[in-house]
Amino acid sequence: MSGNTFGKLFTVTTFGESHGQALGAIVDGCPPGLSLTEADLQRDLDLRKPGTSRHTTQRREPDEVRILSGVFEGKTTGTPIGLLIENTDQRSKDYSKIKDQFRPAHADYTYMHKYGVRDYRGGGRSSARETAMRVAAGAIARKFLEERLGIRVRGYLSQLGPIVIDKLDWSQVHENPFFCPDADRIQELEDYMDALRKEGNSIGARINVVADGVPPGLGEPIFDRLDADLAHALMSINAVKGVEIGAGFGSVTQKGTEHRDELTPEGFLSNNAGGVLGGISSGQPILASIALKPTSSLRLPGQSIDVHGDPVEVVTTGRHDPCVGIRATPIAEAMMAIVLMDHYLRHRAQNGDVRIDTPDIEKGRSRD
């Protein structure tokens, strides 16, 4: 299957299926000399792993990552970093009833038409389980960006179904299972998800991701624009159906005088561009938002067809997230970190010796 590698200089290739023996990744292009241990990756994986609350799938996977190569005596060597996570809690029998059926809004039908065969166990390669390796690879990029460049990538839940989160308190994001930045809304989210679970239904969510400390100059001006690659990376996450950079679709109703981000010697007056101008970082925070669709695997019956084209009623058993967006924050952070890491290395390779007198007007601003 093609299309399993992302990036140009910092590349991430993943392999494995939801109910296979293991998931794996090859991370190539990481500079040598970066201190790296399995514990550095495990922190982010623990934030993403299933079974951490009643609001996510109850599949119990420890998601313990092993570093197989590319690290010697605690430091990266510059050679490919091999990562592996074993699957330990598969229940493939849960899917035997739908092996000849296509679940609505899932990849079953399209995989069959493309490959002539599909792994029906938990969605196989199309399962969100694949994203565990993105998070592990992203943790490497995140560590390099933070330690070498002072770039910090953070995300949070900004909307779950009809519940919009307006308050942003970074200290609260990791204090609840929703990655919600407003402690006053947790009970409301709990009650909503409890009612949804009893109904047997699912719901979508919106996740915002922010990168602070990004220097101006990262990105390419035409096809490999920084915002284009960010959109590519974020849209590649399972269940993502929309990506916004900065003001996004809100810019449709803005006038030019409102949308333009005016410059002063003390910094930009706004950030409707989301930190990217002409495909190149401006030095402002990179702002991105993703919309995740409702989970398509439901116990509620739905109309579909089988492999012969005959009508069937589909009921999906097994363990599923009633809202995939609840665990999506670490995944979105990982993909943004991978993009920034790749573009930093590309910028360093071509433009590392560029020197200008124009100041970085955003440098030194606090983003907390």
Side-chain angles (χ1 to χ4, degrees):
M1 185 187 299
S2 59
N4 294 298
T5 300
F6 185 85
K8 290 199 173 181
L9 290 189
F10 184 85
T11 65
V12 178
T13 303
T14 71
F15 63 87
E17 295 81 35
S18 176
H19 286 227
Q21 294 186 26
L23 303 167
I26 300 296
V27 180
D28 204 0
C30 181
L34 176 69
S35 297
L36 190 69
T37 67
E38 291 166 348
D40 292 324
L41 314 186
Q42 198 63 50
R43 182 189 73 88
D44 288 2
L45 283 165
D46 287 346
L47 293 174
R48 179 218 159 272
K49 71 180 181 181
T52 54
S53 82
R54 69 179 186 273
H55 306 299
T56 64
T57 172
Q58 292 308 293
R59 178 172 175 172
R60 301 288 179 174
E61 292 285 357
D63 280 356
E64 294 179 354
V65 64
R66 293 165 54 198
I67 298 177
L68 305 181
S69 64
V71 177
F72 179 66
E73 295 182 341
K75 294 184 182 295
T76 57
T77 61
T79 59
I81 301 172
L83 305 175
L84 190 74
I85 295 176
E86 293 185 12
N87 288 325
T88 62
D89 191 27
Q90 312 97 306
R91 291 203 324 218
S92 301
K93 61 181 177 59
D94 289 343
Y95 297 89
S96 59
K97 293 181 180 179
I98 64 164
K99 67 183 181 68
D100 293 324
Q101 301 175 343
F102 300 123
R103 291 166 294 178
H106 213 287
D108 300 346
Y109 180 78
T110 52
Y111 266 54
M112 182 61 77
H113 273 275
K114 183 170 183 63
Y115 302 106
V117 64
R118 89 178 204 269
D119 183 350
Y120 61 85
R121 305 166 303 165
R125 184 70 174 149
S126 68
S127 170
R129 180 109 188 92
E130 178 268 340
T131 61
M133 300 319 305
R134 302 182 188 215
V135 172
I140 299 173
R142 182 202 296 270
K143 194 169 195 291
F144 184 95
L145 293 172
E146 288 185 355
E147 293 186 359
R148 302 290 179 87
L149 304 172
I151 296 174
R152 180 172 50 177
V153 180
R154 298 179 290 181
Y156 62 93
L157 176 78
S158 61
Q159 183 174 354
L160 189 150
I163 303 172
V164 178
I165 311 299
D166 295 316
K167 181 180 177 181
L168 176 55
D169 182 350
W170 286 112
S171 68
Q172 295 299 314
V173 172
H174 291 161
E175 299 301 316
N176 61 83
F178 300 99
F179 298 89
C180 175
D182 185 353
D184 296 333
R185 307 298 295 277
I186 303 305
Q187 189 60 55
E188 183 181 2
L189 294 171
E190 297 267 7
D191 294 342
Y192 183 86
M193 290 304 301
D194 287 342
L196 187 74
R197 195 166 52 255
K198 290 179 182 178
E199 181 186 334
N201 221 323
S202 61
I203 197 68
R206 178 178 180 136
I207 305 297
N208 291 351
V209 195
V210 183
D212 292 312
V214 179
L218 303 190
E220 307 296 338
I222 307 298
F223 298 115
D224 293 344
R225 297 162 59 100
L226 182 61
D227 44 0
D229 277 358
L230 279 172
H232 176 190
L234 295 171
M235 185 63 83
S236 75
I237 299 171
N238 311 65
V240 170
K241 303 303 290 184
V243 176
E244 288 188 339
I245 306 295
F249 285 96
S251 61
V252 173
T253 59
Q254 291 178 326
K255 293 182 178 179
T257 50
E258 179 186 0
H259 178 80
R260 66 184 181 185
D261 301 316
E262 298 182 353
L263 296 78
T264 75
E266 292 74 36
F268 290 83
L269 297 182
S270 58
N271 193 9
N272 289 297
V276 183
L277 295 169
I280 301 170
S281 61
S282 65
Q284 295 178 274
I286 306 294
L287 308 177
S289 180
I290 59 174
L292 296 107
K293 70 174 184 176
T295 311
S296 55
S297 296
L298 301 172
R299 295 179 181 272
L300 300 175
Q303 296 182 69
S304 188
I305 61 171
D306 62 17
V307 293
H308 306 294
D310 297 323
V312 294
E313 184 179 75
V314 176
V315 175
T316 305
T317 57
R319 298 160 294 177
H320 306 283
D321 291 282
C323 177
V324 291
I326 291 178
R327 293 194 293 133
T329 296
I331 306 167
E333 292 174 342
M335 294 310 296
M336 180 176 278
I338 290 169
V339 171
L340 293 175
M341 179 73 175
D342 188 41
H343 273 279
Y344 165 72
L345 294 177
R346 292 164 67 176
H347 178 74
R348 186 178 71 170
Q350 182 184 18
N351 306 92
D353 59 351
V354 171
R355 298 290 182 270
I356 62 171
D357 295 328
T358 303
D360 177 357
I361 60 176
E362 288 286 307
K363 192 173 184 179
R365 273 197 180 190
S366 174
R367 302 300 177 187
D368 291 322

